[in-house]
Structure formats: C-alpha cells, structure tokens
Amino acid sequence: MPPHRYTAALAGRIESCWQDWWTEHGTFHAPNPVGPLAEADGSPGAELAKRPKLYAMDMFPYPSGAGLHVGHPLGYIATDCYTRFKRMAGFNVLHPMGFDAFGLPAEQYAVHTGQHPRKTTEENITRYRAQLRRLGLAYDDRRSFATIDPDYYRWTQWIFLQIFNSWYDSEQRKARPIAELEAEYASGARPVPDGRAWDQLTRVEQREIVDGHRLAYAAEVPVNWCPGLGTVLANEEVTPDGRSERGNFPVFRKSLKQWMMRITAYADRLADDLDGLDWPEPVRIMQRNWIGRSEGASIDFPTDAGSIRVFTTRPDTVFGATYLVLAPEHPLVDSLTGQAWPADTPLTWTGGHASPGEAVAAYRLQASMASEAERTSESREKSGVFVGAHAVNPVNGAKIPVFIADYVLAGYGTGAIMAVPGQDERDWEFAEVFDLPIVRTVRPPDGFDGKAYTGEGPAINSWAEGVSLDGLRVADAKRTIIDWLAANGHGEGAVTYRLRDWLFSRQRYWGEPFPIVFDETGLPVAVPEDMLPVELPEVDDFSPKTYDPDDEHTEPEPPLGRASEWVEVTLDLGDGPKKYRRETNTMPNWAGSCWYELRYLDPTNSDEVVSAENERYWMGPQSEGDPGGVDLYVGGVEHAVLHLLYARFWHKVLHDLGHISSSEPFRKLINQGMIQAYVFRDSRGFPAPAAEVVEQDGGYTWQGEPVTRELGKIGKSLKNVVTPDAMCAEYGADTFRVYEMSMGPLEVSRPWETRAVVGSYRFLQRVWRNVVDERTGECGVVDAPADEETLRLLHRVIDAVRGDMDSLRHNTAIAKLIELNNRLTQLPDVPREAAEPLVLMLSPFAPHVAEELWRRLGHSDTLAYEPYPVADPELLKGDTVVYPVQINGKVRGRIEVAADADNDTVQAAALADEKVAEFVGGRNPRKVIVVPGRMVSIVL
RNA sequence: GCCGGGAUGGUGGAAUAGGCUUACACGGACGCCUCAAAAGCGUCUGCCCGAAAGGGCAUGCGGGUUCGAGUCCCGCUCCCGGCACCA
C-alpha cells in the first residue's frame, strides 16, 4: 500500500490533530456583543461580531448510560455542516451544545445501587462529550452546560419565580407582575370577588385571592396515585386495568396538591402565533390539535337546583336538545339528584336502583374505578343514569331530563353538554340506548339514510316565540342564536380548549428543587432571588416512601421530605428570622429544556438570565412581525407537542415580563428523520446479533440458522447497535459524517447500512489522491489554469452546492462534489483553481481532512473562515444547449443549438434533425412546442 | 375511526417551477494490477423481447387534465407516525 494513502489510521491522526488545533485556537468561539464573551474592540474576533448572526441549535441529549449510537448524531452533524457553511458564507455563527441531565434513569439507578445520580450523570456526560468531540462538531465549548449545574438551575428556579410572581391579564393579553394585581385590588380598581373592600380581608384571605391568579399555582388535582411505588404516574404508565406498568400495583385516582402552570391562559397565543413560525406543517397541526381551540357558545339550562351551563360548538342545534348530560363528577350532580324517581320514569333510566341517589352513587363508583383508558375506549355501549331531575331548554321552554354519563368529561368545556341526537353521533347512540326523543334541526340532503346528520344544511324545526332559525345555514344560524341567547340572558359566545394546565410537580429526588417555602399559614412564599439556587440536599435514600399497595388513603412523601434539616429552615425574608418548611417536590424533566436556548447566549452571566443586548442580537426580531427566536432548531418529531409547547409558553411569559425581545423561542424548526436498523429474529422471534448475520442466497442466517429481517429502532434489546466510535475507528469521523449526510434528506427516516459506508470512504480517498501524492505525501496540484470544461463544471457545482447547503440538502450537495471530484480524477494534472474550491466546499462535511488538504495546499490558517466559493455567472451559461425532441410524447432525438437561439431557430433545427425527420416522415406537424432552454415537443 | 406523512431499479436515494425518469452511492458482473488475496483502479448494470440494430414497458393500483404527469385532479390499495367519545 502506498505510504500516504488516506486510511482510517491516517484519518484518525488528522482528526485528533485538527480537533486539538481548533480547541487551542478557539476557532469556533462566537463573540457576543457585550459581556464576558464579547471580544475587545480591535481584536480579530471583534470583526465577527459585526457580521450578520446565525443561531443554530440541536435538541440537546439526555446523557444515557448506553452512550451514542449512529442514529443520535444525525441532526448534530447536519447542523454542524450547515453552520460551518454559514460561517464561511459570512455569518457570525452560534452553535452550542449542552445536556438535559435531570431524569429518571439516573435516579432509578441510584435507588438500586446507592450511586448518587450526579455521579452517574456526570460520568455519562463525560462520555458523551468525548463521543461528540470525536465527530469534529464545531461547538462553542465555552457555552456548554448541563441542566443539573447549580449555576444553570439557579436560573430555572429564577424563571419559576417569574412565573409564580405573575398573573395573566386577559384584557392586555399578557402576563404582568403579581404586584400590579395586588395594587389593583388594594386601590379598588379591581373588585374583590365577594364584594368586600380589600383592607377588610385578612392577610391570609388576600394572599389566597392573589395566589389564585398566579401563573404557577398549587391546586388539588386528580392524579394517578400509586401507593405501592410511592409516586404519581403519568397516564401512559398506567395499564388499561388500572395498575402500574412497573410493579403491577393498584393505581388510584386521587386529588392531591400539586404545582400547576397556567398554560391555558396562553392557549390563544400559542395557537395563533404558530402562523408566524417556519415550522413543518404537521407539527403546527399537532400543536393546534393539542390546544384544541373550539368556538361555540355557553348556554344556561335552568333547573330547580340552579342553572346548568353547557358548552356547545353547535348552538344552532339547541332546538334539538332533548336531554342534558353531565359528567359524573360535575359539582351540580349532588344538588340535582332527586329524592325519588318521578312518575313514569322508564326502568332503563334508573339502572335498576330504587332511588336516584342510589343510582347516581353506583354509577359514580363504576366510573371512578374505570381507568382513563377504559373509560375512553371506543365502541362500547353508551352508559349512564337519569338523576331524577329536569332542566328547561331556554329557547323553547321544553322540559328535558338530566343524565350523568361517562362519555362526558369533567375536564373539558363545562363538564356538561346539551345532547342533540339529531346532529351528534354520540348523542344519537345514547338516545337509542335510553329511548330518548330525536329531533332533526338541520335538514339532511335527499337520500340521506344515516343516523345523526352532522353536515351542512338549512335549519328546520327551530322556531319558538321570539326567535326562528328555520331556513338559515349553519354559520348564520349560530350567529343568530348566539345573539339571541346573549340578548335574553341565556348564554353567550364562548371558546374552550382541549389544552389543560400543566402539572408541574414530581415526587422525585433528581430534579430542580422549587424555590418555594411554606410559612405557618401553609401558603407558599417565594424564596428571594438572592438566595438562589436552592440546592438539592444530600440524602441517603433516593426512593420515595412506599406504602401498602392497596392503601388508597396515603399521601406521597418525596425523597426530599426525609432531608429534615433541609426541609425545616429558618429564613429572614424581611420580617426577621422565621421558621419555614421547604417544598419537597421537584420540577419535571421539561423544566431545564424549557429555556436553554436563552442560556447559551450568555452562559456565564451571573447577574441576569441573559443580558438584553445579547438576547436581542442573537434572537431578537429581524423585521416587523418577526417573532424572533433561534434561526434553526433541529430535533426529533417526538417532541412536536410537549417540549415545544412548554418552551414556547415560558418564552412568552419572559417576553411579556420584558426580559427578552423575542416572542417565540424557535423561528425555524426541522424534524430530522430517524436512523433505523435491520433487526434479525430467529425462529423463536428473538433478535439475533445483527453484526453476526450473514446474507445467503437472498436470505439471512445467523450461526447457520435462518433468520428473518425487519426494520426497527436501533437499540440494545434489538441487538443492532452500531456506534459512531466503531465507525470512526474503522473509517474515520469524516467518512462517518459524509456517509450520514449522503444517506438521504435530513427529514426522512432511513435504514443504516454499514457496508455502504465504504462509498464515502472511497470518495474521501479520491479527493485526497487528487491533492496529495500517495507515494511521497507531497501536494500534487498544478498552478496551470483548468481547462474550460472543468471550469464550467466547477462553477455549475459551486452554484448548485451553495443552494443545496442553504436549504440543508446535504445529500445532493455531496453528490455534486463527488461528480466534480470524479472529473478531476480523470485529468492528467489537478489544477489548483479547481482543487481549492473543492476542498473548501468539502470542508463543512469532512472538516478535518479538508483542513489538512488546505494546509498542504499551502495555507497557514484554518479554512473555517475562508469565504465560501462563489460561482461566476459567465461560466454558468453554456455556448450551446442540447434540446431533447419529443414526438407525440416520446423522446426521439436530440439537437444542439446555440444558447441564444430563438424559438424559430430551435424549431427549425429540430425538424431538420435526421432522426426526427425520419419519425415525422414528411408529414406536416400539427403543432410544435418549444420550451426555451428545456425541450421541443412535436405533435403529429 | 380521525389527522398527518409516504410508495421511484436488487438497496439508500435524485429529479427545487408540469419538460430528457433513475444524478450520486451501495450491491452485482467483467476487466486491470497481483504468484495470489485484500485494497485500489477501470468498464458495464431499470425491466422485457432481440445475435445486433432496434423496439416495447416502467415512478403502488385504476381513471382524468395536458403536446407532455413521479410532479396536478378524482377514486382505491398498502406502509409508517400521531390522536382517541373534546360536546
């Protein structure tokens, strides 16, 4: 083998050498306008800060014990290639990376082994850093942090306090400091709910009212309490039969005091502002559906126990409301429930119970025992019971029965509906089961033979004294009836959301402590900013207290609850030293990732979360109507709703309070696809080690036994893990990067195929050979000018690759570089004027080998800031153009004509062509179409 | 069921604005180099008929619009992802 061939060993040496060089020279440090990361005037870096900026970010990883596999860095490499390109194209580029390091796996490991989660997590982070460094990612390493760093979570706590100390002013449509609310109450500008004067209330009463408006508030909410695990579970951790997925313990629906975030206050803005974002349409649709804004009306139905307010999206069908249904948990159910069944109550309505009270109690018990999954399972017969009372339909005075049924959800709308079986399928089903009247109020089209009709049509049967909707289309009917309801005091137009407030407490150790203490009244008090961070105390046992699995009447006690000298604290909060009790829940995993885009901007700032000037420079709005935000955010589609919605919410609160100029965190979002890998299974269905499977006669075998092949996720349990470390060892990091980028478009999921990596390796070897003599190691390029054909190809490639780079089409960019390189390979000598642009264009993808080649081409500095090649427009134009000639839709010939030939000339040339003439056979074409620069089409 | 995305050679993919289908790569075949192998290099490689020249057929299926459709329209099939009685 020639001594200077580009092998994996040589690649490895070059790579570590350049990684060191970049670190030593701080090559990828991005200067801030102000603060510790700013460059002094006149220094070389100061010029950078005057350039247009580009802020690109990846969704940061949770450092798991398994380390990175080849799927993880796909997005990181893509943003690295993009930002390296942008840096060469004249931008001041910020591309940071950090770690989302609080999380359950380290805590569970700690429960089992006693190993402190911080130790496990920090070791994992160290490993991740090494793996990422090996890939040559051009991060500004001064800006890296982990969410577990007290310097970081100090500011997570600070933001919590901002939210805690705010309320949402629905008139101004923004968050405002809670002190301004209190001032409104105190001045009388805002009336106290019960009509008393503010200063007649006790301090506790005042605080309770104010606390009820905070954007972060404590509330009793129903949760999945699992005494056997000592913790509250997410819905997805509960099996359909109401047991815990882990441990199979019983789970109880129980109301517990939890911290909540009032994200519903922002529902409108979170939905509306999606329009201004450059995000994939499916993600915007998912967020809109999640928020689930629906417009309709609230209508009050009077009863003896007070009126029942229902929410409906179809107020136009109110004349067809033949009964009401409340959720079993609805607060009015108790007072509504009659003493005895009214005369003539059908047996089916009573559930076979002697009195309404018994029927309601039995039905409620049945509903509460059913799990969420069971209750909402599809295609089960409608159930419910009559409460023994009636309501009055306000539009026509009709007396209609009131039921409870579990298909009505307490948490949505008002927890009560008017049932309109004629126009709603669920109501129709229910009406059939209970033999309730059905009135059509929208005329279905002729020939309609279905049950409920939910479509468009004229209103019918919708007339009463003083109001008629008959003949109106749905939209007009809605408007008319809402106006009438409002004018007559029966209701009003209303909007509801599917979105619910965000449950923000966890009974865990390994999370951010809340900066909250409770005083002797039991009400929460904010820990002052100058006492932040509230650090996690050391504990001996990381598990929550567990109980008898069947004892529903227990309360969670988080691990922090046992750190008694931490929990019981004496503080001077301005009124002398007093005893307080700390909040012992911790924040959820989302907290740290809700605002990290801001901290990268000013990671060392100890006075502010981020300085205004730095935030405005990197993330501020760029034009009228621009929300601002990160210029490019890349991550998996699995975060389409929760992470992205929570981060947007926090960002908007900080924006409202005047801390930041951008109103959205991420201006542009791209979801990268997943790298999948083949899973091979033996006859029993167990995964076989993918690396040991051999292909034979079109099938696959492992240890001689046939195995089946399917596509799946990469993971330990599927025995198909391939690590970037292995790829770097076998081919070098540059080859790995080029391969990942050439596999296909970033957004698309695709299977990993190790044997195809060699294609990228050969490509880099050929580039190397075009510049370096493999026998001597000397640079072999010549200074003689390139021939015209090479030059034209070069400039066509420059032009196309620039476009590809700008829109992250890395796969096609690489294909064009390969074409250019293949052309150079065929030349007797490689001209410098082609080799240098090729190396520059290659450098975003294969930065180490490109730096090395650049050095060997005689340059002394990094190419990271070399101007990216620009195509010469003169060389993009050819002298001649080849036109394909279609005859009746089939390509039958080709002609070459001058590039500036007019249509008549092209047409004449086409008809004169020998092959074309043969097909035309002397006939007179009916039509000849010339598309300039494209093709000729002849119709016979 | 609803919502979203997709289907192009043996494989991953390309075709950015309705204009030459299959760029680039993997795999495969043959050749060069070599005592040999590996590596490297070169040529060929959508399918069918044909000795060749050439012809026919091809972007999941069936229609349509158009001089011209992978791309637009209508109707299906299959695959992937998300949601779950939301009034």
Side-chain angles (χ1 to χ4, degrees):
Chain A
M1 176 173 331
H4 296 278
R5 172 158 294 174
Y6 181 76
T7 60
L10 177 58
R13 287 197 298 277
I14 291 171
E15 286 162 8
S16 78
C17 168
W18 279 100
Q19 284 156 12
D20 292 344
W21 198 94
W22 294 328
T23 305
E24 268 167 44
H25 291 80
T27 305
F28 304 116
H29 290 180
N32 271 353
V34 299
L37 301 189
E39 294 283 342
D41 277 343
S43 73
E47 181 271 330
L48 273 181
K50 298 197 175 71
R51 296 181 174 196
K53 59 87 190 187
L54 181 96
Y55 182 16
M57 238 180 95
D58 305 275
M59 290 187 189
F60 62 171
Y62 174 77
S64 86
L68 294 174
H69 63 64
V70 292
H72 292 119
L74 178 70
Y76 308 158
I77 296 171
T79 43
D80 190 60
C81 296
Y82 178 69
T83 50
R84 283 177 180 268
F85 161 70
K86 283 294 196 181
R87 195 175 286 116
M88 296 171 80
F91 287 79
N92 182 21
V93 170
L94 175 54
H95 188 209
M97 180 54 88
F99 297 93
D100 187 18
F102 280 121
L104 218 41
E107 177 161 331
Q108 275 163 357
Y109 187 75
V111 169
H112 291 140
T113 64
Q115 174 83 276
H116 197 289
R118 174 170 295 282
K119 185 161 190 301
T120 321
T121 307
E122 283 176 351
E123 285 167 3
N124 291 345
I125 289 175
T126 303
R127 169 138 184 245
Y128 265 60
R129 283 195 200 282
Q131 283 187 301
L132 293 173
R133 178 181 163 86
R134 182 70 187 86
L135 300 179
L137 301 165
Y139 298 133
D140 183 343
D141 48 13
R142 302 169 306 169
R143 298 176 186 256
S144 187
F145 52 73
T147 53
I148 57 170
D149 300 342
D151 275 350
Y152 181 85
Y153 73 66
R154 167 189 175 184
W155 294 106
T156 309
Q157 292 171 340
W158 180 86
I159 293 170
F160 177 86
L161 290 181
Q162 297 302 308
I163 299 170
F164 177 76
N165 283 321
S166 313
W167 60 292
Y168 196 79
D169 182 339
S170 45
E171 297 197 341
Q172 293 186 19
R173 297 190 77 216
K174 60 182 272 200
R176 293 172 57 191
I178 201 81
E180 295 180 13
L181 177 77
E182 207 165 346
E184 287 187 14
Y185 278 124
S187 72
R190 176 177 290 263
V192 175
D194 65 7
R196 282 186 287 168
W198 186 249
D199 53 15
Q200 286 175 341
L201 305 184
T202 65
R203 185 58 199 143
V204 168
E205 285 173 323
Q206 290 177 347
R207 282 173 64 187
E208 282 171 342
I209 288 174
V210 168
D211 285 355
H213 284 85
R214 295 179 187 272
L215 289 180
Y217 62 98
E220 295 271 334
V221 287
V223 294
N224 301 308
W225 167 232
C226 179
L229 291 171
T231 186
V232 169
L233 301 177
N235 281 337
E236 59 268 24
E237 295 175 300
V238 184
T239 61
D241 59 341
R243 300 182 78 87
S244 64
E245 201 155 58
R246 200 161 44 91
N248 197 33
F249 295 114
V251 175
F252 302 93
R253 295 290 289 173
K254 186 180 168 80
S255 280
L256 291 175
K257 192 148 221 172
Q258 302 281 312
W259 281 100
M260 304 293 288
M261 289 269 166
R262 205 181 299 279
I263 190 172
T264 51
Y266 281 79
D268 266 329
R269 282 168 62 189
L270 289 169
D272 292 346
D273 292 355
L274 286 169
D275 294 336
L277 296 177
D278 183 2
W279 281 20
E281 191 56 21
V283 176
R284 294 198 290 180
I285 290 170
M286 279 190 254
Q287 291 220 343
R288 260 190 219 104
N289 290 346
W290 188 262
I291 295 166
R293 179 188 160 93
S294 51
E295 295 181 31
S298 297
I299 306 180
D300 296 320
F301 285 70
T303 72
D304 293 340
S307 69
I308 299 174
R309 169 155 282 213
V310 306
F311 174 76
T312 176
T313 55
R314 294 292 303 273
D316 59 301
T317 64
V318 61
F319 286 92
T322 52
Y323 58 99
L324 294 190
V325 186
L326 309 192
E329 303 86 351
H330 194 283
L332 270 178
V333 172
D334 285 330
S335 45
L336 269 171
T337 304
Q339 291 298 308
W341 296 118
D344 306 326
T345 299
L347 199 59
T348 50
W349 290 18
T350 67
H353 292 279
S355 73
E358 283 172 40
V360 165
Y363 189 77
R364 278 177 158 179
L365 184 68
Q366 180 195 323
S368 73
M369 286 195 313
S371 70
E372 190 118 320
E374 207 176 344
R375 238 179 102 163
T376 57
S377 92
E378 157 191 12
S379 76
R380 75 194 236 277
E381 179 153 295
K382 289 279 175 287
S383 68
V385 292
F386 179 45
V387 301
H390 288 80
V392 176
N393 187 332
V395 289
N396 56 11
K399 201 175 159 204
I400 60 176
V402 180
F403 286 76
I404 57 172
D406 61 8
Y407 82 96
V408 174
L409 308 176
Y412 184 76
T414 60
I417 61 157
M418 62 175 203
V420 189
Q423 275 81 228
D424 185 284
E425 279 154 22
R426 293 154 304 181
D427 295 345
W428 183 293
E429 277 177 47
F430 191 88
E432 280 191 329
V433 173
F434 293 95
D435 202 19
L436 288 152
I438 295 170
V439 178
R440 287 201 191 278
T441 60
V442 176
R443 182 176 8 207
D446 291 343
F448 178 79
D449 58 358
K451 296 177 171 179
Y453 175 68
T454 57
E456 178 60 54
I460 53 174
N461 302 322
S462 298
W463 177 92
E465 194 67 42
V467 59
S468 171
L469 304 177
D470 285 351
L472 295 178
R473 311 289 296 181
V474 171
D476 293 334
K478 281 184 184 174
R479 218 168 299 125
T480 306
I481 196 69
I482 289 174
D483 288 346
W484 184 88
L485 288 167
N488 291 275
H490 297 307
E492 62 207 359
V495 176
T496 48
Y497 303 90
R498 206 190 80 114
L499 182 70
R500 296 181 207 166
D501 276 345
W502 173 17
L503 191 132
F504 198 72
S505 332
R506 299 290 184 271
Q507 293 72 48
R508 312 260 185 234
Y509 172 76
W510 193 226
E512 299 87 347
F514 282 82
I516 290 288
V517 292
F518 297 93
D519 63 14
E520 71 287 349
T521 66
L523 294 176
V525 179
V527 173
E529 283 178 27
D530 59 12
M531 293 187 191
L532 301 184
V534 176
E535 291 204 48
L536 270 175
E538 296 303 317
V539 297
D540 318 325
D541 185 357
F542 300 101
S543 38
K545 182 172 177 188
T546 56
Y547 299 90
D548 174 356
D550 296 307
D551 187 358
E552 173 181 4
H553 304 287
T554 46
E555 296 258 333
E557 188 194 282
L560 291 183
R562 268 172 278 147
S564 43
E565 62 279 32
W566 180 82
V567 174
E568 307 294 344
V569 63
T570 302
L571 298 173
D572 184 349
L573 302 184
D575 46 0
K578 277 172 58 181
K579 282 200 156 194
Y580 296 92
R581 200 183 146 73
R582 289 192 191 274
E583 170 62 60
T584 57
N585 283 293
T586 52
M587 298 190 199
N589 202 202
W590 305 107
S593 59
C594 261
W595 68 281
Y596 69 127
E597 73 281 358
L598 293 170
R599 194 57 183 172
Y600 284 137
L601 304 179
D602 215 353
T604 57
N605 191 333
S606 52
D607 301 326
E608 294 167 285
V609 63
V610 55
S611 86
E613 202 163 332
N614 288 331
E615 190 272 337
R616 204 175 323 113
Y617 174 71
W618 289 112
M619 289 181 72
Q622 301 297 297
S623 59
E624 187 69 29
D626 175 30
V630 175
D631 297 296
L632 176 67
Y633 190 37
V634 174
V637 72
E638 64 272 20
H639 294 114
V641 177
L642 297 181
H643 158 62
L644 289 170
L645 204 61
Y646 295 154
R648 293 180 63 215
F649 165 48
W650 279 30
H651 206 91
K652 286 183 184 302
V653 176
L654 292 175
H655 172 78
D656 287 356
L657 297 175
H659 297 298
I660 52 179
S661 68
S662 46
S663 58
E664 284 283 341
F666 312 113
R667 176 190 286 112
K668 180 179 171 74
L669 173 74
I670 292 183
N671 295 124
Q672 94 260 16
M674 203 174 24
I675 294 190
Q676 299 158 304
Y678 290 112
V679 181
F680 298 92
R681 294 184 188 274
D682 63 19
S683 52
R684 297 168 306 162
F686 287 103
E692 299 167 21
V693 169
V694 290
E695 192 171 356
Q696 249 174 5
D697 315 321
Y700 300 90
T701 60
W702 177 61
Q703 297 184 345
E705 295 298 316
V707 288
T708 59
R709 190 180 81 160
E710 65 194 59
L711 211 48
K713 287 188 178 177
I714 299 181
K716 240 183 193 167
S717 62
L718 299 174
K719 297 190 178 167
N720 61 357
V721 172
V722 183
T723 62
D725 315 59
M727 291 301 106
C728 290
E730 200 171 336
Y731 299 103
D734 282 331
T735 293
F736 175 67
R737 292 169 57 111
V738 170
Y739 175 64
E740 289 229 338
M741 291 300 97
S742 60
M743 289 168 82
L746 180 58
E747 295 88 341
V748 172
S749 293
R750 71 306 292 269
W752 177 264
E753 195 173 10
T754 297
R755 71 175 178 181
V757 178
V758 71
S760 303
Y761 186 51
R762 289 180 192 147
F763 166 51
L764 295 184
Q765 279 185 334
R766 284 195 285 260
V767 176
W768 179 265
R769 201 157 33 229
N770 276 333
V771 177
V772 176
D773 187 312
E774 285 192 331
R775 289 170 317 247
T776 65
E778 296 298 309
C779 175
V781 302
V782 297
D783 289 327
D787 63 279
E788 167 139 357
E789 200 182 327
T790 302
L791 218 49
R792 285 189 186 280
L793 176 66
L794 171 67
H795 284 263
R796 276 204 308 277
V797 168
I798 292 173
D799 183 55
V801 169
R802 248 186 188 272
D804 286 344
M805 297 302 295
D806 241 327
S807 39
L808 287 112
R809 289 190 302 264
H810 296 325
N811 53 329
T812 52
I814 290 171
K816 281 156 199 155
L817 295 179
I818 292 174
E819 280 185 76
L820 174 61
N821 188 56
N822 288 350
R823 163 80 192 174
L824 300 187
T825 305
Q826 288 154 18
L827 300 177
D829 290 302
V830 175
R832 175 178 294 272
E833 67 172 322
E836 294 203 337
L838 172 64
V839 167
L840 291 175
M841 287 190 287
L842 179 66
S843 69
F845 301 112
H848 314 87
V849 68
E851 289 273 23
E852 185 67 21
L853 292 172
W854 190 246
R855 178 62 54 94
R856 292 189 188 216
L857 282 160
H859 303 277
S860 56
D861 201 2
T862 173
L863 50 54
Y865 293 90
E866 283 299 315
Y868 200 83
V870 179
D872 177 351
E874 282 307 309
L875 286 165
L876 294 177
K877 294 186 233 150
D879 294 337
T880 63
V881 182
V882 175
Y883 281 81
V885 183
Q886 273 185 6
I887 298 170
N888 287 347
K890 284 194 197 312
V891 177
R892 298 295 188 183
R894 266 164 239 283
I895 52 165
E896 186 168 3
V897 297
D900 55 1
D902 62 19
N903 283 5
D904 290 344
T905 315
V906 174
Q907 177 171 338
L911 291 170
D913 182 74
E914 198 179 319
K915 279 198 74 176
V916 172
E918 196 182 312
F919 272 95
V920 173
R923 279 171 288 179
N924 207 17
R926 283 204 310 216
K927 205 189 232 181
V928 178
I929 296 153
V930 177
V931 185
R934 286 288 192 180
M935 63 152 14
V936 181
S937 183
I938 298 171
V939 190
L940 291 179

